[in-house]
Every structure is written in structure tokens, then in C-alpha cells.
Amino acid sequence: MDMKNVSNLKFLIALTLCATIVSCKRSSNSNNVDSATGWKINDKNGGFQYNTNFKEQETPPGTAFVEGGTFTMGKVQDDPMHDWNNTPNQQHVQSFYMDENEVTNLNYLFYLDYVKNVYPPDDPNYSLIYNGALPDTLVWRNRLGYNEMMTENYLRHPGYANYPVVGVSWIQAVEYANWRSNRVAEMSLQEAGYIKRDAQYTDLSAESTFDVDTYINAPTQTYGGNSEVLEGGKRRQQTDAEGNPINIYANRESGLIPVKYRLPTEAEWEYAALGLSELREYNVYRGRKKYPWDGQYTRSGKRVNRGDQLANFKQGKGDFGGIAGWSDDGADITAEVKSYQPNDYGLYDMAGNVAEWVADVYRPIVDDEFNDFNYYRGNVYTKNALNEDGTVKIVTVDEIVYDTLPNGKIIARDLPGEIAKIPVDEKETYLRTQFDRSDNRNFRDGDKRSSRYYRESFDESDDRTNTTGKMYNSPKHRVEVDSAEGKLVRQYDKSNNRTSLINDEVRVFKGGSWRDRAYWLDPAQRRYFPQDMATDYIGFRCAVSRVGSKSQKGGKKRN
């Protein structure tokens, strides 16, 4: 090879190395450069701030990951009530997280202690808030049974600490999930340095609480505007080139504000209970799986524990646990959580122990013809209330609104420090194709669009006497407060024209309980109960939506 060719080769190698170095340099910073404009992201001099290093959503405390997919919702095997309300239909559920076990008495007592300290029941301004959060311990009483021990001890005695909480209505379960969302977000922001460490102990008062929605929309009003707490994190020490603090408040773009806890939808609960993660047999996929475990029986077939019951349920008339010392399921009422083996998703007691509230309003059918993706009936869309100056309206102590439920229980609708909510109006619904109203609980099932004989002249205000125009004309019990004496006045609906107990305030509950026979253990079974009432056999667990990839491995690369 002559010297000229050698020189040319050296030049090409050098040029290639330079290009590689430049390319590597650019790629190393590519996350902090907008690919559409070339402008910098997270510039130390200011500009758009975004978490470009976000990898994956952390598993929320107490939960297990459930990878979404398609499944046959409903079953064809058992129909105990002969109402055929679980007709099989194909659904797809997005990935989400669900509590490994039901919310326990200890979990709920921790919540009650917080409410009691922040809203002291001896303060006239807050006396109804704590009472509205208390479970109904009288659910244990029976006219012909001696259950006073459970009435007095089940909720608070340490012997029942890790047993599922009962006596909680659907409304109370939703409030617990909201409270839990705030506490987890508060801890996350403390650990990330956006608010002061141990901020929750700085000022335990109604005016100084943390609400995640308030923090996102009006961060300076969180903790009652306490700057010591809001600016006391290590992030306050970070400054720009001119010495001004940056990133004082976290936002959605930071990736540090956790997704909220909530009740699971019926489709999510049923999908999670079936535990289909490792099973791809035809019968399983097509809705032939009967229990959260493998097989068609309630007893274990494994050699190490052959014959043991796999759930806590009523085995027969007068038989709530089996013969003592033999064939016993280990409990006569509820059992301690995690007493039985989990399903393939790592979820405990998805059959037996206690039935569980889910988010859905009950209807006898699942309208899969309209939607087969993340099915849920119960959407009531709201928006933030605004002040005259355009800022969000924060509820104050003097603005707490209470609802008197049909059973006489009084609960707070909004708590101090929260953002007031109002229904969406035509500004949000005008010319939209996917929704046209705020309240969608009755959509395509009992309204004008779905009732063949709906009478145009039907008068909602005269619902007590005119009952021919609605599909679900359930009893309308009314409770009012006598303004003069302050006493509750209860009016019972004694009409003979009522044909249903179904209305927009009854919610689905799933899974069998310690009071139920084996056929209710099937995850596909559907029952309903008024959202403002409670029992000794219904508990709940929370769920959290998954953001980002479907899989915990960051998604799969496709060729």
C-alpha cells in the first residue's frame, strides 16, 4: 500500500472517530433535548422542566402488579339467583395494581386516628366528620344470635388487628381511598425533597392538611399556605444561574406524584381474582376457570396440604368452618388476611373471607356492545370550582357541606383544604362524541335512549307516585333535618308500585364471604348493595392505575 493510500485511510479513521464521539455526545444528552425543535429541556437557566430519567412506575405500598389483558368476564356455570346477570362477554383490562389483601382493622384504625386528630369530634365544627368515618359495628348483631363480643371487640381489639375491616359502606371505602392517596403522595414528596420532612406532624389541624389535588392545582395553598413546610425540603436549596430557587413545587411532569388509590372496577376485580397470568389453556381463556386457584374444587389437591380448604366460606347449613381439628377452614367468622395461599398475581383472599366493594353501579347486564375496554359503569364527571379571579376554590372550615344519607348517617361531602368540585357543563360536553353529560350512571340502561316505553311526560319530581316511566323505580326513602329542633325526620317509602331495588346508588360487590356458600366464591358472581349501608361480610381493597408500559419490564420490542 503506497503512502497516499495510507494517508487517506488514516483520514477516514480519524473522521469516523470524530463522528462517533459527536454522535455519542449528542445521544448522551438526547433525553434533555426536544427532538422536535432541538431546544434544551431541564436547562439550568430555566425553561421547560420534565423528568427525562423516569424509568417505571413504582409499585404502590401494599399492592401487587396485575398485567392487563383480555379475558371472558362472566360465567356459564352457576346462576344461584336465576337472574342471569353474569352473561359471558369478552373484555380487555389495562394493567393496574391491587392491594395484596383486604384493608384491615389496623389499616382503618390508623385512618380513624388521623381523622380524629385533624377533625376533633369535640369541636362543633368537625363533630360529624369523625362519626361519618366510623364503621358500623352493630352489623354483627342478630336477633337470634349472641354476637356482642364482635360488636364490642372486632374493630379495635389487637386480636383482630390483621382481620379485614367490615361495617364500612361503599361511600366510606371511597373516602378511605382518597385519604390514602393523600398520605402516600405526601410521603413521596417528602422523600423527594419537595416538602419538609415529617410535615404531617408540623400542624395537625383541618386548615393545614395536605391534599394532592390542591398541591397540583394551587401548591401555595397546601398546608394552609404554610411556607415553612412547602419550602422546607432540600429542593429549596437548588438555584438557577441567578441564585433563584428552582423546582420548588413538584408537578405531574416530575413523575413524583403517585397515581391515586381508588376502588377497583368490577372488570378489574374479576380479572385479578381469576389470576390468569400463567394460564393460557383454552378453557381458562374462554371463561371456564371457576375459582382464583386451579381446579374445580375448594380443597387442595397438592400432596403437602391435600384436603385443606383453600378459602374461608360457609361449608353448609350450620357449618361455618368444619369440624374442629379436622377439615377445618381455620375460621368461624372472618380470618386473618393472608391465611390462605395467594393466586398467580400474588393476591390473597380473592374468594372467601369477606366479599368486597367495587366501584361500579349495579345493572343486571354488562353493556359490552357499547364498550369492551376498561368497562365501568358509574362515571360522574366533575371539574374544579373556580373563584371569580379564575383561581381554584379551596374548601374552608366554614364551607363544609354535609350529606344526610337515607339511613340517617351524616357524612362530609368536601373537607377543608380540598378543591371544591362541580359537575361538568356544556363547556366541556358541547360537540363531544364520547360523552355529553356529567352523570353517566344510567347511560343506555333506563334512560330515554334505552327504554322502549319511556314516557316523555315522566316527571322526576313526582317520582314517589308516578312510577310507570322509569325502568328502575326503587323505593325512595327520605331523611330531612328539622330546622327548628335539629332532629332527623325519616320518611319511609311504602308505595306498592315499586318493582325493583336497583337504582343509581347501589354498588356491585364481588367474591364470596365467610357467610356465603361455595357457589358465591366464583369471581364472576355479581351482587349489589346500597352504597350508604354496610354489613358484617363486605370489606374492600384498593387499586391503582398503571401508567406507561403494559408490562413491568418496560414493554416488549416488536420487530
Coordinates of all heavy atoms in Angstrom, one line a residue, residues 153-193:
N153 N -65.6 -5.8 70.1 CA -64.2 -6.0 70.0 C -63.6 -6.1 68.6 O -62.4 -5.9 68.4 CB -63.8 -7.3 70.8 CG -64.0 -7.2 72.2 OD1 -63.2 -6.6 73.0 ND2 -65.0 -7.8 72.7
Y154 N -64.4 -6.5 67.6 CA -63.9 -6.8 66.3 C -63.0 -5.7 65.7 O -62.0 -6.0 65.1 CB -65.0 -7.3 65.4 CG -64.4 -7.7 64.0 CD1 -63.9 -9.0 63.8 CD2 -64.4 -6.9 62.9 CE1 -63.4 -9.4 62.6 CE2 -63.8 -7.3 61.7 CZ -63.3 -8.5 61.6 OH -62.8 -8.9 60.4
L155 N -63.5 -4.5 65.8 CA -62.8 -3.4 65.1 C -61.5 -3.0 65.8 O -60.5 -2.8 65.2 CB -63.7 -2.2 65.0 CG -63.1 -0.9 64.5 CD1 -62.6 -1.1 63.0 CD2 -64.0 0.3 64.6
R156 N -61.6 -3.0 67.2 CA -60.5 -2.3 67.9 C -59.5 -3.3 68.7 O -58.4 -2.9 69.0 CB -61.0 -1.3 68.9 CG -61.8 -0.2 68.2 CD -62.3 0.9 69.1 NE -63.1 1.9 68.4 CZ -62.6 3.0 67.8 NH1 -61.3 3.1 67.7 NH2 -63.3 3.8 67.2
H157 N -60.0 -4.5 69.0 CA -59.1 -5.3 69.8 C -57.9 -5.8 69.0 O -58.0 -6.2 67.8 CB -59.9 -6.5 70.3 CG -59.2 -7.3 71.4 ND1 -58.2 -8.1 71.2 CD2 -59.5 -7.3 72.8 CE1 -57.8 -8.6 72.4 NE2 -58.6 -8.1 73.3
P158 N -56.7 -5.8 69.6 CA -55.5 -6.2 68.9 C -55.6 -7.7 68.3 O -54.9 -8.0 67.4 CB -54.4 -6.1 69.9 CG -54.9 -5.1 70.9 CD -56.3 -5.3 70.9
G159 N -56.4 -8.5 68.9 CA -56.6 -9.8 68.4 C -57.2 -9.9 67.0 O -57.0 -10.9 66.3
Y160 N -57.8 -8.8 66.6 CA -58.4 -8.7 65.3 C -57.7 -7.7 64.4 O -58.2 -7.3 63.4 CB -59.9 -8.4 65.4 CG -60.8 -9.4 65.9 CD1 -61.4 -9.2 67.1 CD2 -60.9 -10.7 65.3 CE1 -62.2 -10.2 67.7 CE2 -61.7 -11.6 65.8 CZ -62.4 -11.4 67.0 OH -63.2 -12.4 67.6
A161 N -56.5 -7.3 64.8 CA -55.8 -6.2 64.1 C -55.6 -6.5 62.6 O -55.9 -5.6 61.7 CB -54.4 -6.0 64.7
N162 N -55.3 -7.7 62.2 CA -55.0 -8.0 60.8 C -56.1 -8.8 60.1 O -55.9 -9.5 59.2 CB -53.7 -8.8 60.7 CG -52.5 -8.0 61.0 OD1 -52.4 -6.8 60.6 ND2 -51.6 -8.5 61.8
Y163 N -57.3 -8.6 60.7 CA -58.5 -9.1 60.1 C -59.2 -8.1 59.2 O -59.0 -6.9 59.4 CB -59.6 -9.5 61.1 CG -59.2 -10.9 61.8 CD1 -58.0 -11.0 62.5 CD2 -60.1 -11.9 61.8 CE1 -57.7 -12.2 63.1 CE2 -59.8 -13.1 62.5 CZ -58.6 -13.3 63.1 OH -58.3 -14.4 63.7
P164 N -59.9 -8.4 58.1 CA -60.4 -7.4 57.2 C -61.5 -6.6 57.9 O -62.3 -7.1 58.7 CB -61.1 -8.3 56.1 CG -61.3 -9.6 56.7 CD -60.2 -9.8 57.7
V165 N -61.4 -5.3 57.7 CA -62.4 -4.4 58.3 C -63.8 -4.6 57.6 O -63.9 -4.8 56.4 CB -62.0 -2.9 58.1 CG1 -62.0 -2.5 56.7 CG2 -62.9 -2.0 59.0
V166 N -64.8 -4.6 58.4 CA -66.2 -4.7 57.9 C -67.0 -3.6 58.5 O -66.5 -2.8 59.3 CB -66.8 -6.1 58.2 CG1 -66.1 -7.2 57.5 CG2 -66.9 -6.3 59.7
G167 N -68.3 -3.5 58.1 CA -69.1 -2.5 58.6 C -68.9 -1.1 58.0 O -69.3 -0.1 58.5
V168 N -68.1 -1.2 56.8 CA -67.8 0.0 56.1 C -68.6 0.1 54.8 O -68.7 -0.9 54.0 CB -66.3 0.0 55.7 CG1 -65.9 1.2 54.8 CG2 -65.4 0.0 57.0
S169 N -69.3 1.2 54.6 CA -70.1 1.4 53.4 C -69.2 1.7 52.2 O -68.0 2.0 52.4 CB -71.1 2.5 53.6 OG -70.4 3.8 53.7
W170 N -69.8 1.6 51.0 CA -69.1 2.0 49.8 C -68.6 3.4 49.9 O -67.5 3.7 49.5 CB -70.0 1.8 48.6 CG -69.4 2.0 47.3 CD1 -68.7 1.1 46.5 CD2 -69.3 3.3 46.6 NE1 -68.3 1.8 45.3 CE2 -68.6 3.1 45.4 CE3 -69.8 4.6 46.9 CZ2 -68.4 4.1 44.5 CZ3 -69.5 5.6 46.0 CH2 -68.9 5.4 44.8
I171 N -69.4 4.3 50.4 CA -69.0 5.7 50.5 C -67.8 5.9 51.4 O -66.9 6.6 51.1 CB -70.2 6.6 51.0 CG1 -71.3 6.6 49.9 CG2 -69.8 8.0 51.3 CD1 -72.6 7.3 50.4
Q172 N -67.8 5.2 52.5 CA -66.7 5.2 53.5 C -65.4 4.6 52.8 O -64.3 5.1 53.1 CB -67.0 4.5 54.8 CG -68.1 5.2 55.6 CD -68.5 4.4 56.8 OE1 -68.8 3.2 56.7 NE2 -68.6 5.1 57.9
A173 N -65.6 3.6 52.1 CA -64.4 3.0 51.4 C -63.8 3.9 50.4 O -62.6 4.0 50.3 CB -64.8 1.7 50.7
V174 N -64.6 4.7 49.7 CA -64.1 5.7 48.7 C -63.3 6.8 49.5 O -62.3 7.2 49.0 CB -65.3 6.2 47.9 CG1 -64.8 7.4 47.1 CG2 -65.8 5.2 47.0
E175 N -63.9 7.2 50.6 CA -63.2 8.3 51.4 C -61.9 7.8 51.9 O -60.9 8.5 52.0 CB -64.1 8.7 52.5 CG -65.3 9.5 52.1 CD -64.9 10.8 51.3 OE1 -64.0 11.5 51.8 OE2 -65.4 11.1 50.3
Y176 N -61.8 6.5 52.3 CA -60.5 5.9 52.8 C -59.5 6.0 51.7 O -58.3 6.3 51.9 CB -60.7 4.5 53.3 CG -59.4 3.8 53.6 CD1 -58.9 4.0 54.9 CD2 -58.8 3.1 52.7 CE1 -57.7 3.3 55.2 CE2 -57.6 2.4 53.0 CZ -57.0 2.6 54.2 OH -55.8 2.0 54.5
A177 N -59.9 5.6 50.5 CA -59.0 5.5 49.3 C -58.5 6.9 49.0 O -57.3 7.1 48.7 CB -59.7 4.9 48.1
N178 N -59.4 8.0 49.1 CA -58.9 9.3 48.9 C -57.9 9.8 49.9 O -56.9 10.4 49.6 CB -60.1 10.3 48.9 CG -61.1 10.1 47.8 OD1 -60.7 9.5 46.7 ND2 -62.3 10.4 47.9
W179 N -58.2 9.5 51.2 CA -57.3 9.8 52.3 C -55.9 9.1 52.1 O -54.9 9.7 52.2 CB -57.9 9.4 53.6 CG -56.9 9.4 54.8 CD1 -56.6 10.5 55.5 CD2 -56.1 8.3 55.3 NE1 -55.7 10.2 56.5 CE2 -55.3 8.8 56.3 CE3 -56.0 7.0 54.9 CZ2 -54.5 8.0 57.1 CZ3 -55.1 6.2 55.6 CH2 -54.4 6.7 56.7
R180 N -56.0 7.8 51.7 CA -54.7 7.1 51.5 C -53.9 7.7 50.3 O -52.7 7.7 50.4 CB -55.1 5.6 51.2 CG -53.9 4.7 51.0 CD -54.4 3.2 50.8 NE -53.4 2.3 50.5 CZ -53.5 1.0 50.2 NH1 -54.8 0.5 50.2 NH2 -52.5 0.2 50.0
S181 N -54.6 8.1 49.3 CA -53.9 8.8 48.2 C -53.1 10.0 48.7 O -51.9 10.2 48.3 CB -54.9 9.2 47.1 OG -55.6 8.1 46.6
N182 N -53.7 10.8 49.5 CA -53.0 12.0 50.1 C -51.8 11.6 50.9 O -50.8 12.3 50.8 CB -54.0 12.8 50.9 CG -55.1 13.5 50.0 OD1 -54.9 13.7 48.8 ND2 -56.2 13.7 50.6
R183 N -52.0 10.6 51.8 CA -50.9 10.2 52.6 C -49.7 9.7 51.9 O -48.5 10.0 52.2 CB -51.3 9.2 53.7 CG -52.5 9.6 54.5 CD -52.2 10.7 55.6 NE -52.0 12.0 55.0 CZ -52.9 12.9 54.5 NH1 -54.2 12.5 54.6 NH2 -52.7 14.0 54.1
V184 N -49.9 8.9 50.9 CA -48.9 8.3 50.1 C -48.2 9.4 49.3 O -46.9 9.4 49.2 CB -49.4 7.1 49.2 CG1 -48.3 6.7 48.2 CG2 -49.9 6.0 50.0
A185 N -48.9 10.3 48.7 CA -48.3 11.4 47.9 C -47.5 12.3 48.8 O -46.4 12.8 48.5 CB -49.4 12.2 47.2
E186 N -48.0 12.5 50.0 CA -47.3 13.4 51.0 C -46.0 12.8 51.3 O -45.0 13.5 51.4 CB -48.2 13.6 52.2 CG -47.7 14.6 53.2 CD -48.6 14.7 54.4 OE1 -49.4 13.8 54.7 OE2 -48.6 15.8 55.0
M187 N -45.9 11.5 51.6 CA -44.7 10.8 51.9 C -43.7 10.8 50.7 O -42.5 11.1 50.8 CB -45.0 9.4 52.3 CG -43.7 8.5 52.6 SD -42.7 9.2 54.0 CE -43.9 8.7 55.3
S188 N -44.3 10.7 49.5 CA -43.4 10.7 48.3 C -42.7 12.0 48.1 O -41.5 12.1 47.7 CB -44.3 10.3 47.0 OG -43.5 10.4 45.8
L189 N -43.5 13.1 48.3 CA -42.9 14.4 48.1 C -41.9 14.8 49.2 O -41.0 15.5 49.0 CB -44.0 15.5 48.1 CG -45.0 15.4 46.9 CD1 -46.1 16.3 47.0 CD2 -44.2 15.7 45.6
Q190 N -42.1 14.2 50.4 CA -41.1 14.4 51.5 C -39.8 13.7 51.1 O -38.7 14.3 51.2 CB -41.6 13.8 52.8 CG -42.7 14.6 53.5 CD -43.1 14.0 54.8 OE1 -42.3 13.4 55.5 NE2 -44.4 14.2 55.2
E191 N -39.9 12.5 50.6 CA -38.7 11.8 50.3 C -38.0 12.4 49.1 O -36.8 12.3 49.0 CB -39.1 10.3 50.0 CG -39.6 9.5 51.2 CD -40.0 8.1 50.8 OE1 -40.1 7.8 49.6 OE2 -40.2 7.3 51.8
A192 N -38.7 13.0 48.2 CA -38.1 13.7 47.0 C -37.6 15.1 47.3 O -36.9 15.7 46.5 CB -39.2 13.8 45.9
G193 N -37.9 15.5 48.6 CA -37.3 16.8 49.0 C -38.1 18.0 48.6 O -37.6 19.2 48.7

